[in-house]
Amino acid sequence: MRCVIARFPFDLTKSGVLASMKGVKPEPITGESVVIGRRHYPAKQVGVVITRQDPRDFTSGEVTRAMTRLGFTCRGTHEVTRETATAVRALTPLQNASALLGSPAPLGL
């Protein structure tokens, strides 16, 4: 499928992207991401691998549009993954005790 990323046309296939990303260790995700196989990759990292361009030359939106057209699952910055949801729910003992005690009652002045 012909996709335009950073004003350059690329003929990408799903199998070609899978082959390119095979053996690539995912970087930490801070924004949009692409699910390739069972791994979550930052969109910019996928763009660098498949286009061999500098990440400043394209946006993560261009990459996620192209990957979506190829049939990959893409996630935006506003979506919460299972890993981050579990990390948010895990409270420290101090936070748990504070939540159990509740907030102080307002002073009646």
Side-chain angles (χ1 to χ4, degrees), residues 63-74:
V63 177
T64 55
R65 275 191 299 277
M67 295 300 105
T68 301
R69 287 180 58 200
L70 289 173
F72 291 102
T73 303
C74 299

Side-chain angles (χ1 to χ4, degrees), residues 16-99:
V17 173
L18 286 168
S20 296
M21 296 304 293
K22 188 173 185 175
V24 177
K25 184 181 176 194
E27 296 173 357
I29 298 171
T30 58
E32 295 180 351
S33 65
V34 181
V35 180
I36 299 177
R38 290 181 286 171
R39 294 182 171 191
H40 296 257
Y41 294 92
K44 287 281 200 166
Q45 182 183 11
V46 174
V48 167
V49 171
I50 64 173
T51 66
R52 295 188 177 103
Q53 292 183 332
D54 190 275
R56 294 173 290 185
D57 293 339
F58 55 88
T59 65
S60 58
E62 291 175 299
V63 177
T64 55
R65 275 191 299 277
M67 295 300 105
T68 301
R69 287 180 58 200
L70 289 173
F72 291 102
T73 303
C74 299
R75 299 188 180 201
T77 55
H78 62 281
E79 296 180 33
V80 178
T81 61
R82 237 182 315 178
E83 296 85 21
T84 56
T86 322
V88 169
R89 275 184 270 160
L91 297 177
T92 65
L94 179 62
Q95 292 170 326
N96 190 29
S98 179

